[in-house]
Amino acid sequence: MAAQDAATELIGLWPRLPQMVGPTWPQVRPQTLDLAGLIRAAETDEERVTHTESLLELLLPYRAVAEILGAAYHRGRRSTGSVTQTPDWADVCRLLNAMDHEQWITARCVEDPQDGASAGRTRRLVLGIDRAAHPYAFDSAQLGLTVPATEDAGVLTVDVYGAPETVEVLPVHRSLVVRRLMPDPATVPSEALFDVTLLTDRPVHLVAVTRTADGRTPQQLRLTVGPSGLLRQEILLAPWRTPPGTAAPSVDLYVTLTSTGGSHVLTVRDATGSATAQLPFSHEQMEWLVREARRGIDALLLGPGGTSYESDLRIPNEVYESSLGQLTRSGFDLFHALFRPDDGSPALRRIGDIIINTLASAGPDSAPTIEVVSDGLNLPWHLMYAVDTYDDARISPYRLLGLGTRLTLVPLRSGHHHRHRMEYVPQTSSEATALIAVNMDIDRASTGDPRALAAGQVAYWQERIADRAEVVADADKVTEALRRPKRPDTLWYLYCHLIEGQEQSPLGDAALEFTEGRQVRLRDVRRCAPPEVPLPGAPLVVLNACATAARGAALRAGFPSYFLSKGARAVVCTDIEVPTELGAEWARRFFDRLLTGDTVATALHLTARELHKEYQNLLCLLYTAFGTSEARLVTPR
């Protein structure tokens, strides 16, 4: 690799540098800009090497960079004034490209020499690891390889899935060898091989899933293969990695759901291993399943004769018993449609067994933690009723995933879902700052039936964090805070109404309504406060408004997606309409827990169980968290 190529790839690092450098990035940024400008303006390879080395020397003091690049950099560094071209510069660039997403496993397409040139021909899909990356990928913190110290290699098993109507995948060699040391150039690493035949003239989507010997799923890729053989790839499931000096997340079950064109691939992993299967449903069928699963919660929300519980938290016994039956039955039907299909798929049944086993310990005082990662499919996991056989006489609300588990929906580490990954520095409750945006019209002050729900929200924050809570009620001020944030806030809390947009894009054209009917429209803030510009401080965002999450099976580009794109470390939103009285009571209890240091998943779970126990109110199932299950508002006391 020439110095010109190396310099070009290093300039391409720009989106990754904030994560690699961390909190001091704003101070380092001007220097990187200057050096990138010098690299672009360089006219000789010697100048490019000089400025590229200067850029690396600026970055190497940061541990995340040094751990990956230090050895390769020092091996390839100039020892004299002359330019030395060594493979190490290429190693540096490849490692930098792998580091951001930790995509150690990569794919390429090779033509089958025995096949003709017609469309739909068979190609050899090769999955392997770059030679220079072997020692880094071997690290047990990266790919979960745990082998005896006397062995110099570990083995991963690879599977590739695709929609049967679009592609035929034939495994040739499913084992991929990862070596402890960088292999000799003459050594050809073992690679996983698949023969892929496209059955259409359009690009085809595949999912490549890797597994370790103990059943972990450390890497998952989405591959797009075009008729010409052009292959694009992106990481879907990040490696099972624990940052240095921290304990592993206490997650009992990881679920990854990947949409690949007309196909959906589901992977689950727990302490005993993992399982992967393809869901036998089209997008239209998934939409129907989602609508059916929500019938129970719709009935509970409205009650008999269309009664909504605006001013009474307690749900009457007769309504509770009837609605709980509908809720669990619809959740049972969804669970069985997915994991007990008529075709008797053993892989899907195995996934269902894992979920049921995870719930085995669930009860009034215990709950496992589940993280669900999905790139494009929004299943109502919280409404699933995970049992093998439905029994009207033995209904347990704790078999609903929303009450029986700590459930979090995790945005993928790809695309726009998490464009910014500035490291969050935890704050104590005495240091936390917040933007509190409320719709004061909720209190109906000018009517004969006033209430103090919005005023109570404001008073709560003024009491808890005093002058560190900035309170706004005007939509223009919310927009201005998005455009020009004054400070790195710990929390953004919005207590308002959601106005859906046009039928063809109900959330993409949605608006948040504040006092006097003034609105913050999503399409407008995307222009004036684009996702490319992050919110400082990576705040936790809580949208306490009706139906701020997508109701259909497709994850639409609504407000949760927008805030995640702007770097929010987590977003809490609502599934459908929420009674205003419940919203206010839920907020007080939820934030009480967050301010003591509970994680978002724990605070959501315990608040829902508390309201269920005291009032037979199951409507807290409407609240959903997008973000890691370990996200907190403040450090634990």
Side-chain angles (χ1 to χ4, degrees):
M1 176 180 287
Q4 181 174 2
D5 298 326
T8 300
E9 291 199 36
L10 285 170
I11 293 172
L13 269 179
W14 182 261
R16 304 175 172 90
L17 290 179
Q19 178 199 15
M20 294 159 58
V21 173
T24 60
W25 168 241
Q27 290 75 47
V28 176
R29 179 177 181 272
Q31 300 174 67
T32 61
L33 281 173
D34 291 342
L35 288 170
L38 291 174
I39 294 171
R40 290 190 184 95
E43 297 182 355
T44 67
D45 265 7
E46 183 172 1
E47 291 176 332
R48 293 184 187 100
V49 168
T50 299
H51 300 317
T52 298
E53 284 188 355
S54 297
L55 177 59
L56 285 171
E57 287 165 359
L58 175 67
L59 298 174
L60 282 172
Y62 299 95
R63 185 175 64 179
V65 180
E67 285 179 351
I68 302 296
L69 303 177
Y73 165 73
H74 290 296
R75 285 195 304 271
R77 191 174 182 274
R78 293 177 303 150
S79 57
T80 66
S82 61
V83 177
T84 59
Q85 290 294 336
T86 74
D88 296 295
W89 283 109
D91 295 345
V92 166
C93 290
R94 280 195 292 267
L95 290 171
L96 283 168
N97 287 334
M99 193 177 91
D100 177 50
H101 298 303
E102 297 158 342
Q103 185 177 331
W104 305 108
I105 299 168
T106 57
R108 69 182 189 275
C109 268
V110 181
E111 295 289 348
D112 187 331
Q114 298 181 352
D115 208 358
S118 61
R121 58 188 178 275
T122 299
R123 295 178 176 82
R124 177 65 53 84
L125 178 66
V126 182
L127 291 104
I129 298 175
D130 185 86
R131 171 178 164 269
H134 271 257
Y136 304 101
F138 187 91
D139 188 322
S140 62
Q142 299 291 335
L143 288 180
L145 290 165
T146 53
V147 298
T150 55
E151 296 185 15
D152 64 356
V155 179
L156 296 174
T157 301
V158 184
D159 286 299
V160 175
Y161 301 86
E165 63 271 17
T166 65
V167 64
E168 182 180 272
V169 180
L170 178 65
V172 178
H173 182 71
R174 296 173 57 225
S175 297
L176 188 159
V177 175
V178 189
R179 304 186 186 279
R180 188 184 297 274
L181 302 174
M182 186 184 301
D184 185 89
T187 302
V188 179
S190 173
E191 298 170 316
L193 308 174
F194 297 82
D195 281 342
V196 175
T197 304
L198 275 63
L199 306 180
T200 174
D201 290 332
R202 303 178 65 180
V204 167
H205 301 284
L206 304 169
V207 175
V209 180
T210 63
R211 294 185 183 85
T212 61
D214 59 359
R216 292 185 176 186
T217 306
Q219 190 89 88
Q220 187 165 317
L221 304 176
R222 176 166 53 199
L223 310 173
T224 304
V225 184
S228 65
L230 180 66
L231 184 144
R232 297 196 312 273
Q233 57 188 303
E234 60 180 313
I235 188 169
L236 293 174
L237 183 62
W240 196 340
R241 182 179 184 181
T242 303
T246 62
S250 55
V251 176
D252 299 286
L253 181 65
Y254 295 87
V255 181
T256 304
L257 184 55
T258 305
S259 299
T260 57
S263 177
H264 309 289
V265 176
L266 185 66
T267 299
V268 301
R269 71 181 188 223
D270 63 4
T272 66
S274 63
T276 301
Q278 194 162 316
L279 294 177
F281 301 107
S282 65
H283 282 302
E284 292 75 17
Q285 290 171 319
M286 295 304 296
E287 286 283 355
W288 182 84
L289 287 173
V290 169
R291 286 196 302 270
E292 290 298 302
R294 286 196 167 96
R295 284 191 176 184
I297 199 71
D298 286 340
L300 182 60
L301 178 68
L302 293 177
T307 303
S308 64
Y309 300 100
E310 281 284 317
S311 57
D312 188 1
L313 294 175
R314 179 166 296 280
I315 295 180
N317 280 336
E318 64 276 11
V319 177
Y320 172 80
E321 291 173 2
S322 171
S323 298
L324 180 60
Q326 295 181 59
L327 185 62
T328 53
R329 186 73 216 193
S330 60
F332 173 83
D333 290 342
L334 175 63
F335 181 81
H336 272 243
L338 294 174
F339 305 119
R340 299 294 189 261
D342 294 336
D343 64 4
S345 167
L348 286 172
R349 179 168 287 277
R350 165 67 177 146
I351 291 175
D353 291 341
I354 291 174
I355 295 173
I356 288 175
N357 290 338
T358 299
L359 268 171
S361 63
D365 302 312
S366 61
T369 298
I370 299 178
E371 282 192 350
V372 179
V373 179
S374 179
D375 69 328
L377 199 60
N378 183 31
L379 295 180
W381 291 91
H382 54 303
L383 301 181
M384 284 187 191
Y385 191 65
V387 294
D388 254 325
T389 304
Y390 190 85
D391 185 348
D392 288 304
R394 299 180 62 187
I395 294 176
S396 169
Y398 301 113
R399 305 301 291 185
L400 288 163
L401 266 61
L403 266 185
T405 72
R406 293 172 170 86
L407 182 69
T408 309
L409 304 179
V410 185
L412 285 173
R413 294 183 56 189
S414 64
H416 69 279
H417 290 285
H418 251 177
R419 181 181 283 113
H420 310 291
R421 288 183 293 278
M422 295 290 286
E423 183 177 347
Y424 171 67
V425 180
Q427 304 288 316
T428 64
S429 57
S430 61
E431 299 169 323
T433 63
L435 176 76
I436 311 300
V438 298
N439 182 344
M440 297 306 297
D441 291 343
I442 291 174
D443 284 355
R444 305 185 297 218
S446 59
T447 71
D449 184 25
R451 53 193 180 186
L453 300 179
Q457 304 284 296
V458 173
Y460 176 92
W461 286 105
Q462 289 176 336
E463 177 184 350
R464 298 305 297 266
I465 60 176
D467 58 346
R468 289 174 284 111
E470 179 187 359
V471 179
V472 299
D474 183 86
D476 291 341
K477 291 184 178 180
V478 177
T479 301
E480 185 62 20
L482 285 167
R483 291 180 58 211
R484 297 186 182 89
K486 296 178 181 179
R487 61 189 181 186
D489 281 315
T490 312
L491 169 73
W492 273 47
Y493 174 49
L494 296 89
Y495 181 66
C496 56
H497 297 307
L498 179 91
I499 308 299
E500 290 193 352
Q502 301 173 358
E503 184 176 351
Q504 60 270 30
S505 181
L507 289 173
D509 194 30
L512 297 173
E513 185 179 83
F514 291 92
T515 307
E516 296 181 353
R518 304 288 295 276
Q519 296 180 358
V520 175
R521 190 164 292 280
L522 181 57
R523 65 181 180 187
D524 294 335
V525 294
R526 283 191 178 277
R527 287 195 296 266
C528 70
E532 289 77 12
V533 181
L535 283 172
L540 168 67
V541 176
V542 179
L543 301 170
N544 197 0
C546 289
T548 45
R551 289 207 64 191
L555 283 172
R556 298 183 177 89
F559 277 102
S561 175
Y562 169 72
F563 279 108
L564 287 169
S565 297
K566 286 187 72 67
R569 65 184 180 279
V571 175
V572 177
C573 52
T574 57
D575 202 43
I576 54 177
E577 293 77 10
V578 176
T580 50
E581 185 78 24
L582 172 68
E585 181 65 17
W586 171 87
R588 181 183 65 79
R589 297 176 185 235
F590 175 69
F591 286 121
D592 276 350
R593 296 187 179 279
L594 285 185
L595 287 168
T596 64
D598 277 351
T599 65
V600 170
T602 297
L604 273 177
H605 165 75
L606 292 179
T607 301
R609 284 201 170 188
E610 198 173 77
L611 287 167
H612 171 253
K613 181 179 180 180
E614 293 182 26
Y615 301 108
Q616 298 189 130
N617 197 320
L618 285 164
L619 293 175
C620 283
L621 287 171
L622 302 174
Y623 286 92
T624 306
F626 287 83
T628 172
S629 61
E630 297 298 296
R632 301 176 190 271
L633 178 63
V634 298
T635 56
R637 290 177 181 173

